[in-house]
Amino acid sequence: MKNSPVSHPSRTGIDWPRAQAFLARERTHYAARNPQSASLAAQAQQHLLFGVPLHWMNDWCTPFALHVAHASGAGVTDVDGHNLVDFCLGDTGAMFGHAPAPVAAALVHQATRGYTTMLATADAAAVGQSLSERFCLPFWQFAMSATDANRYIVRWIRAATGRKKLLVFNGCYHGTIEDVFVDLVNGQPVQRSSLLGQVHDLTEHTMVVEFNDLPALEAALQQGDVACVLAEPVMTNIGMVLPEPGFWSAAQALIRHHGALLVMDETHTISTGPGGYARAHGIEADALVLGKPVGGGVPCAVYGMSASLAQCAMQAKQDAPPGHSGIGTTLTGNMLAMAAMRAALTEVMTPSAYAHMLTQAQALASGLHSILQKHRLPWCVTQVGARTEFQFCATPPRNGSEADRVLDGELEHLIHLGLLNRGILITPFHNMMLVCPQTTPAHVAQLLDALDAVLSEITVLSPSA
Ligand SMILES: Cc1ncc(COP(=O)(O)O)c(C=O)c1O
């Protein structure tokens, strides 16, 4: 979370002393309405590092961790009995709703038939076929998380091409695959200083350029040693950054010309449509990664590759001495995960589910425009299918540096807490909202009303004041 001074451009139109008074009231209100969560948080503090299962669960806006009782469809019920409308959706893990019925049925069916044998079930071939039809790539492998899928595809490509360098865009996030944590600071590649326990020099094999910067991409590729470009087709993890018209077709031509490969990480941009952003926009990647929602939220991920890459990858394995490949984990491709993926791919991630989601997201985006206009806030709204975001700048950022400059953790948190206290959950990082097949027009209206109420409390020019 980045904090900003009062004069930060993100705060144009915000009455900061008023906003801080609002935050104090909201924190008190949160504590009063969540006694069970408070009690569980205090208990967890005794034996969990930082009091939570994963340290960054403390990055939410709440004074202490909100504890969940159950989650279903577009809703989360917390342990104090509040029904929250969920627009975070596990930051995409539950993009098709919590506990989607076909995935739940597949898990129940598998539950008494074993979980892990290190052997294939009948689901394997069916999932492979479904993936290749959906994404137009013929060969697939599995992983436990999108992080691992990224790690493994990069290794396969390095092995297959004999090239060592990875090229990424400034401000990217592809999970905790170490190689990508290199930022551009004053035009220079610098290893991200927040990394814990990282002892290798990541700048040695990772190059970084700004998104939408074709000359910089070309200059980096010209050195002839880049194995692959690993990218989201739209950056989503530093706030959203859309590709400029023509960027990807030109970038793809450059990547091909210089003998590198293109890996599209569609983990978030699968929000675009059934075949992801790349397929919808004619980007022909050599490899594709998808995690999070591919098993309906059950831990698993997939990566696919073109026929020519697959051939080189198999050759590399054949040529390598026997022994550990450094790719794969024991539970990868386990029976539960394969059953979950088969159900999610064939019965949940359907064109009709997307049609509903895109309609709701469109309604959300236009409602957000109206509210921002009403409160005279110079903020923009960006949308990639079911994923919508407002950013603290008048025009969408064009690259990671621009997007980073307008992040404002304090302002985000007080908005998020105001929304949570009004029954709405949005992603703790920046201002991203996802809709799922169970999101209704009433849910969207509830979010817009809650945001309107919060902004009325913190803006300088509140029309309702
Ligand atoms: C684009 C992208 N790729 C990969 C990942 C890693 O996913 P996971 O944390 O499930 O490994 C993320 C996580 O946010 C992501 O946004």
Side-chain angles (χ1 to χ4, degrees):
M1 180 176 75
K2 231 178 64 167
N3 295 332
S4 314
V6 178
S7 59
H8 192 278
S10 63
R11 298 188 184 168
T12 305
I14 300 293
D15 182 336
W16 195 240
R18 223 180 140 219
Q20 283 178 311
F22 170 76
L23 176 61
R25 287 197 302 280
E26 293 298 312
R27 288 173 72 90
T28 306
H29 185 44
Y30 174 85
R33 80 184 220 126
N34 292 291
Q36 293 299 328
S37 272
S39 163
L40 287 168
Q43 286 174 43
Q45 205 71 40
Q46 293 175 29
H47 296 294
L48 301 186
L49 207 59
F50 301 102
V52 278
L54 183 53
H55 68 86
W56 52 244
M57 286 185 184
N58 283 335
D59 289 352
W60 285 83
C61 55
T62 52
F64 49 83
L66 183 75
H67 283 63
V68 170
H70 51 91
S72 172
V76 164
T77 303
D78 68 31
V79 291
D80 286 285
H82 306 116
N83 295 320
L84 307 168
V85 185
D86 190 4
F87 290 88
C88 168
L89 295 168
D91 193 20
T92 312
M95 196 178 92
F96 298 95
H98 292 286
V103 175
L107 293 177
V108 167
H109 178 80
Q110 192 62 45
T112 53
R113 289 171 168 77
Y115 308 145
T116 184
T117 56
M118 293 213 307
L119 293 165
T121 62
D123 291 326
V127 170
Q129 182 178 343
S130 173
L131 288 167
S132 64
E133 283 166 9
R134 184 179 284 260
F135 296 111
C136 300
L137 286 172
F139 292 105
W140 293 83
Q141 285 281 272
F142 300 92
M144 289 302 289
S145 64
T147 293
D148 269 355
N150 279 317
R151 185 175 285 136
Y152 300 148
I153 191 66
V154 168
R155 285 188 81 127
W156 276 120
I157 290 174
R158 282 174 165 153
T161 61
R163 291 182 175 193
K164 289 185 177 166
K165 291 240 165 108
L166 173 68
L167 196 152
V168 295
F169 291 110
N170 188 36
C172 70
Y173 183 73
H174 297 280
T176 53
I177 167 175
E178 285 80 5
D179 310 56
V180 304
F181 291 116
V182 178
D183 298 320
L184 266 186
V185 178
N186 301 324
Q188 294 305 311
V190 174
Q191 188 154 317
R192 202 163 296 176
S193 58
S194 57
L195 291 183
L196 296 173
Q198 180 58 58
V199 296
H200 303 290
D201 178 4
L202 301 176
T203 60
E204 208 177 314
H205 297 304
T206 301
M207 304 176 87
V208 55
V209 300
E210 291 287 10
F211 198 62
N212 281 321
D213 186 346
L214 289 167
L217 178 65
E218 183 166 26
L221 289 165
Q222 255 165 1
Q223 299 171 31
D225 52 0
V226 173
C228 68
V229 174
L230 171 61
E232 290 187 275
V234 174
M235 296 185 82
T236 66
N237 282 298
I238 190 149
M240 283 215 261
V241 183
L242 294 166
E244 285 172 351
F247 171 71
W248 272 119
S249 58
Q252 237 185 310
L254 286 173
I255 292 166
R256 282 213 182 114
H257 179 72
H258 292 285
L261 300 181
L262 174 62
V263 183
M264 288 269 97
D265 181 352
E266 292 265 23
T267 297
H268 278 182
T269 49
I270 191 69
S271 61
T272 310
Y277 187 97
R279 183 154 186 197
H281 291 84
I283 303 169
E284 285 175 28
D286 302 285
L288 182 147
V289 165
L290 175 61
K292 299 199 185 186
V294 71
V298 171
C300 51
V302 301
Y303 56 100
M305 49 185 102
S306 65
S308 55
L309 173 56
Q311 201 178 10
C312 295
M314 286 191 285
Q315 192 62 52
K317 175 69 185 134
Q318 249 170 31
D319 294 346
H324 291 132
S325 64
I327 294 170
T329 56
T330 310
L331 297 181
T332 295
N334 70 71
M335 298 153 96
L336 270 183
M338 298 308 291
M341 277 188 278
R342 184 175 189 170
L345 285 162
T346 57
E347 299 176 67
V348 178
M349 301 168 68
T350 59
S352 67
Y354 273 100
H356 175 86
M357 290 155 76
L358 300 193
T359 306
Q360 298 314 310
Q362 192 53 51
L364 173 57
S366 63
L368 288 171
H369 275 297
S370 308
I371 287 178
L372 297 180
Q373 232 171 8
K374 172 181 166 188
H375 291 279
R376 298 184 206 181
L377 287 167
W379 300 350
C380 63
V381 177
T382 317
Q383 191 196 344
V384 175
R387 176 180 299 272
T388 309
E389 179 163 59
F390 60 88
Q391 285 165 295
F392 302 136
C393 48
T395 51
R398 286 169 307 160
N399 58 43
S401 292
E402 287 187 17
D404 184 54
R405 273 197 288 278
V406 300
L407 292 178
D408 183 343
E410 278 181 280
L411 181 54
E412 284 165 18
H413 272 194
L414 70 87
I415 293 171
H416 298 179
L417 185 58
L419 292 175
L420 178 57
N421 283 340
R422 288 159 183 76
I424 300 289
L425 208 54
I426 76 169
T427 308
F429 322 112
H430 33 99
N431 299 304
M432 196 277 293
M433 291 148 286
L434 272 174
V435 297
C436 70
Q438 297 80 19
T439 307
T440 64
H443 292 147
V444 172
Q446 197 179 330
L447 165 54
L448 294 172
D449 286 349
L451 184 64
D452 190 18
V454 169
L455 295 180
S456 297
E457 299 269 2
I458 64 172
T459 45
V460 175
L461 289 164
S462 171
S464 60

